[in-house]
Amino acid sequence: EVQLVESGGGLVQPGGSLKLSCTASGFTFEKYDIGWFRLGPGKEREAVSYISHREHTARYADFVEGRFTISLDNAKKIVYLQMNSLKPEDTAVYYCAADRVVPSSWYHDILYDYWGQGTQVTVSS
């Protein structure tokens, strides 16, 4: 059974940092690409970042502006999203998703079949 479990969310002040984790199980981790998405209050789900084992590349949404870094640990089957300089508008539930997705289409959430349950990130003073 494919499972993705996010963790690391919480309440942080503007300008603060959080490191999200997405722990994968039930599939061959190295053969799949991982995306991070978020769903903010009153907003549509949007793509945040992506990392591809197969293409050895990463992608970020424009709004990230260099503040986030995606990385992975193959031995532990974990994908991380380090988020720095957080802003109130980053408040959202963050989800990781997995599938075989080419880099040019990484931001299309419909291309990902496997999703985690999400972790809440709240940026507020």
Side-chain angles (χ1 to χ4, degrees):
E1 178 188 4
V2 173
Q3 277 198 321
L4 298 169
V5 179
E6 301 94 336
S7 60
L11 173 64
V12 64
Q13 292 187 341
S17 298
L18 283 174
K19 187 173 186 178
L20 306 184
S21 300
C22 171
T23 304
S25 62
F27 63 98
T28 306
F29 187 61
E30 294 81 1
K31 293 186 178 180
Y32 281 73
D33 310 306
I34 304 294
W36 280 99
F37 294 81
R38 70 185 188 183
L39 182 62
K43 299 180 181 179
E44 295 185 353
R45 186 164 60 189
E46 59 183 349
V48 178
S49 185
Y50 156 98
I51 191 163
S52 172
H53 280 102
R54 301 171 301 130
E55 303 291 338
H56 306 288
T57 189
R59 295 287 187 273
Y60 298 92
D62 289 345
F63 63 77
V64 168
E65 299 175 321
R67 300 178 296 130
F68 299 175
T69 303
I70 193 168
S71 61
L72 57 83
D73 184 329
N74 279 324
K76 296 181 179 179
K77 297 186 177 182
I78 298 177
V79 176
Y80 300 102
L81 185 68
Q82 175 68 47
M83 305 189 297
N84 300 325
S85 302
L86 284 163
K87 306 174 182 180
E89 51 263 44
D90 294 318
T91 295
V93 178
Y94 284 70
Y95 301 88
C96 63
D99 216 314
R100 295 183 175 96
V101 180
V102 296
S104 59
S105 298
W106 74 274
Y107 47 88
H108 290 299
D109 57 357
I110 62 171
L111 298 179
Y112 296 79
D113 274 346
Y114 307 110
W115 291 81
Q117 83 291 346
T119 185
Q120 175 71 48
V121 171
T122 302
V123 185
S124 175
S125 54

